């Protein structure tokens, strides 16, 4: 497992981008759970954010691709609207303990 950050560094309803071993990823905390995905839109294979750490839509309830507006469920990474509807973001296994947030690449 690779250490990502301290748990308090990812507040409820927020997202952050990271690069670990050359892999770009995004992490979101929703309803107390941490979800991690490759930062790569399944439509064009490009990063999702338009500014650092800006992966969520205006309501902070969906992950949004800044290029084409595709919307993804935070809990599963499924695209529910946009040009890649029905496809999924690549899940990164993650967990959290007293030391922080961890991922497995």
């Amino acid at each position: 497992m690779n250490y990502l950050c301290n748990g308090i560094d990812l507040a409820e309803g927020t997202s952050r981008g990271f690069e670990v071993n050359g892999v770009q990823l995004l992490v979101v905390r929703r309803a107390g759970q941490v979800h991690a995905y490759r930062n790569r839109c399944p439509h064009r294979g490009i990063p999702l954010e338009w500014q650092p750490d800006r992966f969520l839509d205006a309501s902070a309830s969906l992950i949004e691709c800044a290029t084409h507006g595709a919307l993804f469920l935070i809990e599963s990474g499924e695209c529910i609207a946009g040009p890649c509807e029905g496809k999924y973001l690549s899940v990164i296994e993650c967990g959290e303990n007293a030391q922080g947030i961890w991922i497995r690449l």
Side-chain angles (χ1 to χ4, degrees), residues 2-66:
N2 297 77
Y3 176 79
L4 203 56
C5 68
N6 191 312
I8 62 171
D9 292 335
L10 184 66
E12 178 64 34
T14 65
S15 60
R16 285 191 58 190
F18 294 90
E19 185 172 326
V20 177
N21 298 332
V23 177
Q24 291 185 350
L25 52 110
L26 68 106
V27 184
V28 180
R29 183 184 299 278
R30 180 162 183 191
Q33 296 287 16
V34 176
H35 305 275
Y37 301 97
R38 272 189 200 271
N39 181 7
R40 184 178 175 95
C41 181
H43 175 229
R44 296 289 300 271
I46 56 177
L48 294 162
E49 80 275 33
W50 58 278
Q51 288 184 338
D53 300 328
R54 301 294 293 257
F55 295 98
L56 303 178
D57 69 348
S59 69
S61 63
L62 297 165
I63 298 168
E64 181 175 27
C65 177

